[in-house]
Amino acid sequence: MTSTSPYVILHLGLGSFHRAHQAVYQQALHDQGDSRWVLAGGNIRPDMAETLAALQASCGAYTLETVSPAGQRRYQRISAIRQVIPYDAELAGLVACGAQPQTRIISFTVTEAGYYLNAEHRLDLNFADLAADVEALKAGRAGQTIYGALVMILRARMQQGSGPVTLLNCDNLRHNGDRVRAGLLQFITLLGDTALLGWVEQHTSCPNAMVDRITPRPTPAVRERVLAATGVNDPAALMGEDFIQWVIEDRFVAGRPAWENVGVQMVADVQPYEEAKIRLLNAPHSCIAWAGTLVSTTYIHEGTQDPLIRRMAYDYVTDDVMPVLNTPEHPCPIDLAAYRDVVLDRFSNPAIADTNQRVAMDGFSKIPGFIAPTIRERLARGASIASVAMLPALFLAYLQRWHAGQIPYTYQDQAMDPTVAHAICEAADPVAALAAEATLWGPEANDPRLVAALRQAQARVTHFVQHHPLKVSA
């Protein structure tokens, strides 16, 4: 590496969110004349083949459309991704890039479910993908999970003496840096690789981070609008809302870009921001998607504009979340009421056209990650959980529709064991079966107060669906 060569951030997961979020901040630095860091990226699984091919053909460049709540559209060409690494089953390209000395940060977006962590924050080897990765790495074969990919990269880095590297989690996972580090160290321990374990402990850091930008799955309409507005026929075009936020714990072991110059909040403690985002944005988002699907809406804005659904989300935040996040002992630095209202306004933006299908996915990781903590903290105080219980009750009704083959789209859930999900729906008492599922609730599984609240919420959900104007008029 010459003294003028840029440092590299290798990103695993070139999906829409990364390209509408992290790459945008890097582009902003480049636009300021700061090109000391560039992005490289690829996928650890053989998906998004057409998008990857389009990005390779354009040398990583693509067009981002952003839409304001007022419907104003803006178009930006993003060229911060300087290397698109083709997928190969051995992950050879990713390993080679990650092992080079100039790569100083490895970041990743694999969704919440892609970390295979149970309620005790331990790796859950009941997941076939994870168990298969352990055996594959022991046998010298390539991995398919984030842990397998990181082990391959870090082993090569250790062997080549390439120096320390920061592992930066960019998924919606509470304490995401701490948790992926714990999962990675457990994974390496299962492999019995004591040399790598010691190297990772000494030569890596895993900052916690909070990310936020609504980024729907790209549709052909986005490509058509981009062509009409810019004259560029871009098969990798995508769209996101104009709101964007990134809060990162400033703990990088091998340097970092000057992200604070382009609006990233570099802080000592991410927790207040991530708790507010996970509980006031992610959980209500799922609430609206599940409820909207039950009454046959298609888009998130339709559900948010529905007064009954909006009230469920509003009451959940106001009644149960805000009291546990803002206390006299631990005052929250964020105006939670204002944040709640901004979030609901963002969700109601019809120009985003975000689908229930995208937001409803991964319920088996969202309940323990986004919803159960509020239930746990409210129960610990002896307080009501009537409003928060509506969310898992909505998910149960949604799951029962899925079980019956009545969801009008494909439901995706990496953390769900379909056998377990079907058994909950087929149980004589589905509410009790849901409340007994330890992977969802941890220590609160089977708690009589949880069961009682879910029963009451189930009755409210049933009434909501049966008497909703959209269902009655259908």
Side-chain angles (χ1 to χ4, degrees):
M1 182 181 71
T2 68
S3 60
T4 58
S5 297
Y7 294 120
V8 175
I9 305 167
L10 171 62
H11 188 82
L12 308 179
L14 284 183
S16 297
F17 184 77
H18 168 70
R19 294 188 295 119
H21 189 269
Q22 295 96 41
V24 172
Y25 284 106
Q26 205 57 39
Q27 183 67 44
L29 279 177
H30 291 188
D31 292 344
Q32 290 183 358
D34 184 351
S35 297
R36 290 173 292 175
W37 292 77
V38 298
L39 282 162
N43 289 352
I44 62 176
R45 296 196 178 188
D47 51 10
M48 293 176 51
E50 292 181 5
T51 300
L52 278 183
L55 290 170
Q56 289 162 14
S58 66
C59 300
Y62 57 94
T63 305
L64 172 67
E65 175 191 61
T66 55
V67 188
S68 75
Q72 297 171 320
R73 299 181 188 271
R74 187 171 68 91
Y75 298 89
Q76 180 184 14
R77 192 69 174 168
I78 306 294
S79 57
I81 302 174
R82 298 296 173 83
Q83 181 184 5
V84 178
I85 299 169
Y87 172 81
D88 69 274
E90 299 302 314
L91 306 186
L94 294 176
V95 171
C97 181
Q100 63 187 359
Q102 60 263 46
T103 297
R104 300 295 181 89
I105 298 171
I106 300 171
S107 57
F108 33 90
T109 43
V110 297
T111 79
E112 304 86 28
Y115 297 95
Y116 307 99
L117 295 165
N118 63 21
E120 286 74 43
H121 311 319
R122 304 289 299 175
L123 290 181
D124 188 347
L125 292 174
N126 289 317
F127 290 106
D129 287 353
L130 183 61
D133 246 31
V134 172
E135 296 308 311
L137 269 292
K138 284 182 177 179
R141 301 191 306 273
Q144 289 276 297
T145 70
I146 185 61
Y147 302 114
L150 288 176
V151 162
M152 295 172 66
I153 293 170
L154 296 174
R155 273 180 175 168
R157 195 173 183 88
M158 176 182 69
Q159 291 163 1
Q160 295 178 26
S162 297
V165 66
T166 298
L167 307 177
L168 182 59
N169 191 329
C170 301
D171 275 311
N172 287 315
L173 193 70
R174 185 179 282 100
H175 312 309
N176 59 4
D178 294 339
R179 294 186 70 190
V180 75
R181 184 176 186 82
L184 177 61
L185 294 177
Q186 291 170 49
F187 187 89
I188 297 171
T189 300
L190 289 170
L191 298 179
D193 192 339
T194 55
L196 181 63
L197 185 67
W199 189 92
V200 169
E201 289 177 331
Q202 294 180 20
H203 293 88
T204 67
S205 66
C206 300
N208 294 306
M210 186 275 275
V211 296
D212 192 5
R213 182 172 234 180
I214 297 172
T215 309
R217 290 174 179 168
T219 65
V222 175
R223 183 175 177 178
E224 293 167 7
R225 289 195 301 269
V226 166
L227 176 60
T230 70
V232 177
N233 184 11
D234 187 354
L238 71 158
M239 183 260 279
E241 64 172 339
D242 63 350
F243 180 93
I244 188 169
Q245 186 179 23
W246 198 6
V247 185
I248 312 176
E249 180 184 13
D250 200 355
R251 188 161 52 90
F252 288 73
V253 74
R256 63 168 177 82
W259 283 317
E260 67 274 13
N261 293 339
V262 290
V264 178
Q265 294 167 267
M266 305 302 302
V267 301
D269 184 7
V270 174
Q271 184 172 1
Y273 301 92
E274 70 181 7
E275 284 299 326
K277 197 257 180 170
I278 284 171
R279 301 203 206 189
L280 275 73
L281 186 146
N282 295 121
H285 219 185
S286 297
C287 166
I288 292 164
W290 295 330
T293 299
L294 292 174
V295 295
S296 303
T297 66
T298 300
Y299 297 102
I300 291 295
H301 71 268
E302 295 173 318
T304 311
Q305 293 173 4
D306 182 296
L308 296 175
I309 297 177
R310 187 184 184 103
R311 190 74 201 185
M312 289 181 198
Y314 182 96
D315 287 349
Y316 150 74
V317 171
T318 307
D319 298 345
D320 289 357
V321 174
M322 288 169 54
V324 298
L325 291 190
N326 187 29
T327 66
E329 301 81 16
H330 300 285
C332 183
I334 302 163
D335 184 337
L336 295 177
Y339 186 58
R340 171 202 61 204
D341 295 343
V342 167
V343 164
L344 290 175
D345 286 346
R346 289 166 60 194
F347 289 170
S348 65
N349 183 356
I352 297 296
D354 202 4
T355 62
N356 292 334
Q357 178 179 13
R358 185 190 77 85
V359 179
M361 65 187 291
D362 290 332
F364 268 76
S365 60
K366 289 177 177 177
I367 286 181
F370 299 170
I371 299 166
T374 298
I375 289 176
R376 184 172 303 121
E377 291 163 26
R378 295 285 290 172
L379 290 178
R381 298 172 179 213
S384 167
I385 56 170
S387 294
V388 63
M390 287 295 290
L391 277 62
L394 285 166
F395 179 66
L396 177 58
Y398 177 97
L399 198 65
Q400 289 172 316
R401 290 275 187 91
W402 165 83
H403 171 71
Q406 296 173 354
I407 297 294
Y409 51 77
T410 300
Y411 174 62
Q412 297 172 300
D413 195 327
Q414 290 188 69
M416 179 178 72
D417 180 341
T419 303
V420 171
H422 285 301
I424 289 171
C425 296
E426 293 170 355
D429 186 346
V431 168
L434 183 74
E437 184 54 45
T439 60
L440 297 177
W441 307 109
E444 281 65 48
N446 287 314
D447 189 307
R449 298 168 296 176
L450 173 63
V451 176
L454 286 176
R455 289 200 193 287
Q456 294 173 355
Q458 182 197 39
R460 292 174 61 195
V461 168
T462 300
H463 184 272
F464 156 74
V465 172
Q466 292 179 345
H467 298 278
H468 192 278
L470 286 176
K471 298 297 288 183
V472 171
S473 61

